Amino acid sequence: MSFTSPTARPPGSQPRSRRSLRRRALAAVAVGAAAVLVATGCSIQVTSQPDPTIPDDTMLINADRGNPLFDRNFNPYLTNTRTASRWMYEPLIMINPLDNAQTPWLATEWSLPDADTIQMTIRDGVEWSDGEPLTADDVAFTFEMLKEYPAIDIKGAWQHIESVEVDGDTVTFELLTDDVPALTIIGATYIVPEHIWADVDDPSTWRNEDPIGSGPFTLGNYNQQQYSMDKNEDYWQADSIEIEHLILPATNTQLDTVTRGYDWAYSFISDVEGTWGAASDENEFWFPPVGIIGLMPNNEVAPFDDVNVRRGIALALERGSIAESATEGYMEPAGQTGLILPNQEDQLDPSIPNQGMIEQDTDAALAEFEKAGYTLQGDQLVGPDGQQFSFALTTANGYSDWTRAAQEVQRQLGQIGIDVSLSLPQPAGYQQAISNGDFEVAIGGMGGGYAYQAFNSLLSSEFYVPVGEATQNNFERYQNPEADEILAELKATPDPDRQVELSQQLQNIVYDDLPVIGLYYGGSWGLFSDRKFTGWPSAEDPYMAPQNYDSAPLLIFTRLKLVKEDDQ
């Protein structure tokens, strides 16, 4: 997948607004490592003050949180597992969420002899952290266990697999149907040791308090305020790991992130340049786009079942202001193709105007609303029932960027006579609401590094359920037989050129039908310090998304280099 861009910007980089350029200038002239935070007329000097008791070969990571204390849970298949459990257990293939680039990991190579078969060669010489060898039998055992306990099949592998067979170091997956995208789902599955897990009564509830994995670190000290991890000296890539220890505290406020001397954090911070950036000369950040944040109309609830209403809303919005308000200018407005640009520019249908960007056009918006029976009467947009058009916009309480986006949408739609109220349930309540269809319009997302999965989760009728029943995808409850036919062909097509053609057909459906209305790109909020380690992913070297959750850190750990005393 190409990263080329007609504007020759580095991949994932974002142009700066005047406001953010001004912030950069202010950060650059900060004295020493001090950042000035202005609040109610007072200046507060905030600096990064690393803990002097933490050695230079030890990384302090803001990646896990207690509630308020840690549960000792290292089962990588459970939702409440400790973040680092997914650095102890490894996948078969490492997949970059930015562009779907695939790096051999526990599998050294793979092939698709036909569209319903995957063959993988398992890496030789890998050991579990207790010294036992990792073999193809462990891989087969893992998948059979996930079949027996579907609640822990978190990647959904058995939605694709018919059977698993082992022959020497080769594992063959027979699929339920022609299914080219199954490779990335199977490849991303975490592998566990048979000699440990075969004796577990119920792996769907087991806490795995003393984990034995194949990854670069083993569990060190553990208490309810923080835990540590130690380098696995027998790791199959031990020569590439220059970190000796990791420390993961339970308490990570935004102030902690800026002041505590973290080496790596994942967080959106307001005025990141003037806080994180100015707290230390060695602090860096990279916020590449990894998805599209948008309005998710419930296609089963009137009037959002009318494409003219959805198009009217899309035309009424000025996305630049929404992106600036939500992300402080760090992310760009997004188009209406479902693609993340420039990451997926090689797939873009050139016939779609303006790369899919919908510009604000109030007159055109009102014309679309009129097709649906809505007319502007004074300062109100009035429907066929004589009532003002009004709806509730749902987002998760505490997601500050989403809340700011919702408030800007509320303001803009109010200017054309639409009364928008905000519903802000807690994150768990938000997730339940969109899963069950208990909303009119919600802030949500679409898009991703792999076109098939992104479009399938957005458009497929396989995920459709009526309002009141729970679904894990297609939250907007969109149905289109044409989209289903294209998705079915895309799923079974190994030809890359034909895949692009089918992707472009799906882009046109998203552009014309607006099942979700794109607003701005969602970022991967990577915060790094070069004080002790260098080699972080960046716009110039986007080898992995900068997230410190799931499997991504496994690849990043192998690329980081310890800063030598002579270099400091």
Side-chain angles (χ1 to χ4, degrees):
M1 191 172 295
S2 171
F3 275 100
T4 56
S5 166
T7 55
R9 292 200 306 274
S13 65
Q14 301 301 325
R16 297 295 183 187
S17 65
R18 290 183 179 178
R19 177 181 171 191
S20 57
L21 285 171
R22 177 174 58 82
R23 286 198 304 270
R24 180 178 290 276
L26 289 173
V29 300
V31 177
V36 178
L37 304 182
V38 179
T40 63
C42 299
S43 295
I44 305 173
Q45 300 294 321
V46 178
T47 61
S48 178
Q49 299 177 336
D51 186 339
T53 66
I54 298 177
D56 287 342
D57 61 4
T58 298
M59 180 179 291
L60 183 65
I61 303 185
N62 177 347
D64 214 337
R65 289 169 176 81
N67 296 303
L69 303 176
F70 279 127
D71 291 326
R72 186 164 176 154
N73 182 346
F74 290 92
N75 182 330
Y77 306 120
L78 301 186
T79 57
N80 61 340
T81 187
R82 299 272 58 85
T83 298
S85 70
R86 292 166 184 166
W87 312 342
M88 298 179 184
Y89 298 97
E90 300 182 285
L92 296 163
I93 303 172
M94 188 64 63
I95 299 170
N96 187 343
L98 297 177
D99 60 356
N100 200 48
Q102 299 169 359
T103 301
W105 213 252
L106 292 182
T108 58
E109 58 185 0
W110 51 87
S111 63
L112 282 74
D114 47 61
D116 64 357
T117 304
I118 297 172
Q119 291 183 334
M120 291 189 181
T121 301
I122 305 306
R123 187 177 299 277
D124 186 36
V126 178
E127 292 183 355
W128 298 106
S129 56
D130 62 358
E132 291 291 323
L134 186 154
T135 69
D137 289 331
D138 289 307
V139 175
F141 164 80
T142 295
F143 282 93
E144 293 295 346
M145 179 185 69
L146 299 180
K147 180 181 181 181
E148 184 177 355
Y149 297 92
I152 60 174
D153 185 13
I154 57 176
K155 304 294 183 181
W158 282 95
Q159 296 175 23
H160 305 266
I161 298 171
E162 174 69 29
S163 63
V164 181
E165 297 179 0
V166 174
D167 182 8
D169 62 357
T170 299
V171 179
T172 299
F173 299 89
E174 296 295 343
L175 307 178
L176 293 170
T177 185
D178 291 353
D179 190 354
V180 175
L183 173 66
T184 58
I185 296 165
I186 292 170
T189 300
Y190 305 107
I191 305 303
V192 297
E194 179 179 8
H195 69 281
I196 301 293
W197 289 67
D199 296 328
V200 174
D201 290 335
D202 184 353
S204 68
T205 61
W206 188 45
R207 296 162 63 87
N208 191 23
E209 295 186 359
D210 298 300
I212 301 297
S214 63
F217 296 98
T218 59
L219 183 61
N221 295 322
Y222 190 98
N223 61 54
Q224 293 186 324
Q225 285 74 47
Q226 70 176 29
Y227 61 97
S228 65
M229 302 181 72
D230 303 322
K231 179 179 176 180
N232 178 3
E233 298 295 344
D234 296 321
Y235 181 51
W236 60 277
Q237 297 183 90
D239 291 345
S240 298
I241 304 295
E242 298 191 5
I243 308 161
E244 290 296 327
H245 309 281
L246 306 175
I247 297 176
L248 292 92
T251 303
N252 301 291
T253 66
Q254 286 200 1
L255 185 60
D256 287 333
T257 299
V258 174
T259 62
R260 194 169 177 178
Y262 277 107
D263 298 291
W264 187 4
Y266 183 86
S267 174
F268 177 84
I269 296 180
S270 184
D271 187 15
V272 67
E273 291 163 323
T275 53
W276 171 262
S280 170
D281 291 339
E282 294 151 325
N283 284 354
E284 303 289 342
F285 64 93
W286 182 42
F287 295 166
V290 290
I292 297 170
I293 307 302
L295 294 180
M296 192 162 58
N298 191 328
N299 285 228
E300 290 239 310
V301 174
F304 307 106
D305 55 348
D306 188 333
V307 69
N308 297 311
V309 171
R310 301 196 296 271
R311 190 173 295 117
I313 292 173
L315 288 164
L317 297 173
E318 201 290 298
R319 287 157 179 77
S321 297
I322 297 170
E324 173 71 23
S325 178
T327 73
E328 300 183 4
Y330 294 115
M331 305 307 298
E332 289 184 341
Q336 188 57 40
T337 62
L339 297 184
I340 302 170
L341 303 179
N343 301 22
Q344 297 174 299
E345 194 163 27
D346 61 327
Q347 298 184 41
L348 180 66
D349 184 349
S351 70
I352 296 178
N354 197 23
Q355 295 191 319
M357 184 63 64
I358 297 178
E359 303 291 348
Q360 185 183 42
D361 187 335
T362 301
D363 290 340
L366 292 174
E368 293 296 328
F369 285 125
E370 190 169 354
K371 294 177 185 177
Y374 290 85
T375 57
L376 191 61
Q377 298 180 15
D379 61 355
Q380 295 186 357
L381 190 66
V382 176
D385 59 358
Q387 300 297 313
Q388 182 181 13
F389 183 12
S390 63
F391 66 88
L393 176 55
T394 300
T395 188
N397 192 355
Y399 292 9
S400 58
D401 51 339
W402 286 18
T403 300
R404 290 193 297 270
Q407 290 169 337
E408 181 62 17
V409 168
Q410 180 187 45
R411 186 189 69 80
Q412 291 188 17
L413 293 183
Q415 292 178 338
I416 62 167
I418 301 175
D419 178 24
V420 179
S421 60
L422 300 186
S423 174
L424 300 171
Q426 293 300 314
Y430 162 83
Q431 190 63 45
Q432 183 176 16
I434 64 170
S435 177
N436 294 335
D438 184 19
F439 67 95
E440 293 179 286
V441 180
I443 299 286
M446 63 177 173
Y450 187 24
Y452 172 79
Q453 289 180 342
F455 286 122
N456 189 59
S457 61
L458 176 69
L459 304 174
S460 175
S461 295
E462 290 184 10
F463 299 113
Y464 168 80
V465 295
V467 169
E469 298 181 23
T471 184
Q472 298 304 310
N473 286 296
N474 191 356
F475 298 117
E476 77 281 4
R477 288 159 166 78
Y478 176 79
Q479 296 183 86
N480 183 339
E482 180 187 1
D484 289 336
E485 291 177 7
I486 298 169
L487 286 167
E489 183 179 351
L490 181 56
K491 182 178 182 180
T493 300
D495 177 18
D497 292 335
R498 181 57 179 161
Q499 289 175 357
V500 172
E501 293 173 0
L502 295 167
S503 169
Q504 291 177 346
Q505 293 177 32
L506 294 168
Q507 293 166 38
N508 279 275
I509 288 176
V510 175
Y511 183 80
D512 291 336
D513 275 9
L514 300 109
V516 171
I517 300 168
L519 297 177
Y520 63 94
Y521 291 120
S524 187
W525 313 113
L527 306 173
F528 319 111
S529 170
D530 286 331
R531 185 173 63 89
K532 294 192 291 187
F533 301 97
T534 61
W536 303 101
S538 65
E540 293 74 24
D541 188 13
Y543 63 86
M544 177 53 75
Q547 65 196 43
N548 58 18
Y549 58 90
D550 289 343
S551 296
L554 291 169
L555 179 57
I556 295 173
F557 289 145
T558 68
R559 298 286 292 267
L560 296 178
K561 300 300 179 184
L562 182 67
V563 175
K564 307 299 183 184
E565 188 172 335
D566 293 342
D567 299 330
Q568 293 179 339

